[in-house]
Amino acid sequence: MDMGGILVYVLLFLPTLLSYIFLRTHKRKPQQRAKLPPGSMGWPCIGETLQLYSQDPNVFFAAKQKSYGEIFKTHILGCPCVMLASPEAARFVLVTEAHLFKPTYPKSKEQMIGPSALFFHQGDYHTRIRKLVQRSLAPDSIRKLIPNIEAVTVSTLESWAGGHVVNTYHEMKKFSFDIGILAIFGSLDVYHKEELKKNYCIVDKGYNSFPTNIPGTPYYNAVLARKRLKQILSEIISERKEMRVVEKDILGCLMNSKDEKGNILTENQIADNIIGVLFAAKDTTASVLTWILKYLHDDPKLLEAVKAEQKAIYESNVEGKQPLTWAQTRNMVLTHKVILESLRMASIISFTFREAVVDVEYKGYLIPEGWKVMPLFRNIHHDPGLFPDPHNFDPSRFKVRV
């Protein structure tokens, strides 16, 4: 072959070779530039799940943060995870670069709530469901519920009278469930309400249990109860359709929603989101209410100040003969501060799940595509750099706009 022919082959081959080298270099660049965060992945397959379940999760995560810093890796609930324990990291995942992460939970928890619940989605479907739920819980909607909520509250307090001992958290769960039913269904017949409560309690007990399908275990019983919940909700939806009454409660908003193409939500989508709202409303609210009582009990002077604020509103309503109004709830300034500080101290939602949809680099560390990412809210709320003397209950640290 003459030199001219060789030159032609070189000119043809050289761009291909250079392109290959560039692509290889470009592809490997994130791995060369960033490394996985420090931490332990535990045992094969099960990771550190047993360690998590064998102790207080807050102690587990706090110990990890102390050992590895504000960014560390672990393997729990069958998933490789990156934990983040700073406000900046939480904002990065949930706000500024939210498009790089999708909402996700372990399959066991997704199965328990329902795959169509808005927690597990992003994009148009998530936006649509979120707007529907927000609309049904907007101030205009809540205003109309205030008298009903007050009636449920008074009835609950009266049930505690008589000098008998009550389990505070258990009673708060019943109270929160009744308020949740009110917001979701408006009025609901006693039979369906009791069936929902009975089966939801079984699901609740198995939700955070070790996920195993062995008959008789809390998780196995919860899966069966979840199926019964779906059937009960199907009955309620069918009855609502037969009545042909357009309600503005959460169920009504979901049932009557149509997208831009005129498509309505399926029964499974409605059921999953109803159960999702119950999960979001019941236990978290009950926990916060229980902690509020605990913190107030521990500070008699603060308790008396809150009681004085509430008594003044009660007396302005002619000793409770007039119903509570939305405007009056806006004037509960000290009560609001107590709620905010209780949320910080108790940190009912210790963390949330996201999943990286691509390889992401954050502060020099690699978060691989497909890994779970968990902002640790409790660790942030108890950071002395953000909240001086974080273990001290101090509502005055918050400023509330009236």
Side-chain angles (χ1 to χ4, degrees):
M1 183 180 294
D2 59 18
M3 290 300 294
I6 293 174
L7 182 60
V8 171
Y9 274 103
V10 170
L11 292 176
L12 289 174
F13 176 71
L14 187 59
T16 303
L17 178 62
L18 292 175
S19 297
Y20 174 76
I21 294 172
F22 172 78
L23 290 174
R24 289 275 297 180
T25 304
H26 182 72
K27 184 177 181 181
R28 294 175 60 186
K29 191 175 180 180
Q31 284 78 4
Q32 293 173 341
R33 183 179 64 246
K35 60 182 179 179
L36 287 173
S40 170
M41 301 300 282
W43 293 90
C45 298
I46 63 173
E48 297 187 305
T49 302
L50 294 179
Q51 292 95 313
L52 175 65
Y53 276 98
S54 64
Q55 60 184 287
D56 183 338
N58 297 317
V59 174
F60 175 83
F61 291 127
K64 291 289 184 182
Q65 182 181 351
K66 184 177 181 180
S67 298
Y68 303 115
E70 294 180 346
I71 307 172
F72 57 91
K73 68 177 183 288
T74 184
H75 191 289
I76 56 174
L77 299 173
C79 310
C81 305
V82 172
M83 306 296 187
L84 305 170
S86 72
E88 297 78 18
R91 192 176 299 112
F92 177 83
V93 172
L94 302 175
V95 182
T96 58
E97 302 295 335
H99 62 284
L100 301 177
F101 306 91
K102 66 179 181 180
T104 183
Y105 285 73
K107 286 295 181 183
S108 60
K109 298 185 183 299
E110 183 177 319
Q111 180 183 12
M112 206 64 69
I113 296 178
S116 295
L118 66 89
F119 311 130
F120 311 126
H121 294 268
Q122 60 183 170
D124 294 340
Y125 177 78
H126 176 271
T127 301
R128 177 187 178 190
I129 300 299
R130 186 186 65 199
K131 287 181 178 179
L132 290 173
V133 174
Q134 287 178 336
R135 186 188 311 157
S136 59
L137 296 176
D140 287 342
S141 300
I142 296 298
R143 281 190 185 94
K144 300 173 183 177
L145 291 177
I146 293 297
N148 303 89
I149 294 174
E150 183 183 24
V152 173
T153 304
V154 171
S155 175
T156 299
L157 291 173
E158 289 177 346
S159 72
W160 298 348
H164 59 286
V165 177
V166 298
N167 182 308
T168 305
Y169 181 54
H170 179 69
E171 292 298 319
M172 289 303 181
K173 287 178 78 169
K174 292 196 296 184
F175 171 72
S176 299
F177 187 84
D178 289 340
I179 299 300
I181 292 295
L182 182 65
I184 294 169
F185 303 101
S187 59
L188 187 64
D189 62 272
V190 175
Y191 170 75
H192 282 126
K193 181 178 177 180
E194 291 303 314
E195 286 297 304
L196 284 173
K197 182 182 295 185
K198 179 176 68 177
N199 286 284
Y200 177 86
C201 288
I202 297 172
V203 172
D204 183 36
K205 289 179 181 178
Y207 181 73
N208 285 316
S209 63
F210 194 82
T212 174
N213 286 318
I214 299 175
T217 60
Y219 182 80
Y220 181 85
N221 293 336
V223 171
L224 296 180
R226 173 60 176 81
K227 293 178 181 178
R228 292 193 292 270
L229 278 178
K230 168 60 172 58
Q231 181 59 41
I232 296 165
L233 289 170
S234 294
E235 294 174 5
I236 295 172
I237 292 171
S238 295
E239 292 181 4
R240 182 77 66 98
K241 288 179 178 178
E242 291 177 3
M243 293 170 57
R244 296 184 180 180
V245 177
V246 179
E247 301 287 353
K248 294 185 178 180
D249 48 37
I250 294 178
L251 177 59
C253 286
L254 293 174
M255 287 181 61
N256 298 307
S257 168
K258 292 183 179 180
D259 62 17
E260 62 278 0
K261 297 180 181 179
N263 298 319
I264 62 174
L265 294 171
T266 67
E267 202 167 277
N268 282 334
Q269 289 173 325
I270 294 173
D272 289 356
N273 282 288
I274 291 295
I275 294 171
V277 171
L278 275 176
F279 261 91
K282 182 175 179 285
D283 287 1
T284 52
T285 304
S287 295
V288 171
L289 291 172
T290 302
W291 280 108
I292 288 172
L293 290 183
K294 190 270 183 188
Y295 293 134
L296 287 175
H297 172 270
D298 293 346
D299 190 335
K301 290 184 179 179
L302 180 61
L303 173 60
E304 289 304 314
V306 171
K307 287 169 63 177
E309 182 176 76
Q310 296 297 318
K311 185 177 180 181
I313 295 174
Y314 176 79
E315 291 177 345
S316 70
N317 285 343
V318 194
E319 299 293 327
K321 293 180 180 179
Q322 295 178 358
L324 186 68
T325 66
W326 173 259
Q328 288 173 325
T329 66
R330 301 295 88 190
N331 290 327
M332 298 177 182
V333 178
L334 178 58
T335 303
H336 192 183
K337 290 182 179 181
V338 168
I339 293 171
L340 292 176
E341 178 67 345
S342 298
L343 288 168
R344 184 197 69 81
M345 279 281 288
S347 295
I348 303 303
I349 305 297
S350 296
F351 53 82
T352 188
F353 288 91
R354 291 293 187 271
E355 181 180 313
V357 297
V358 295
D359 285 354
V360 180
E361 183 180 335
Y362 179 73
K363 289 193 173 181
Y365 290 114
L366 173 68
I367 303 175
E369 178 184 353
W371 278 42
K372 306 299 181 186
V373 183
M374 298 167 62
L376 299 173
F377 301 134
R378 181 180 179 84
N379 297 53
I380 296 170
H381 293 161
H382 288 87
D383 184 343
L386 301 171
F387 300 98
D389 197 7
H391 299 295
N392 180 43
F393 186 80
D394 180 17
S396 67
R397 72 173 80 240
F398 289 97
K399 295 181 180 180
V400 178
R401 292 179 294 178
V402 180

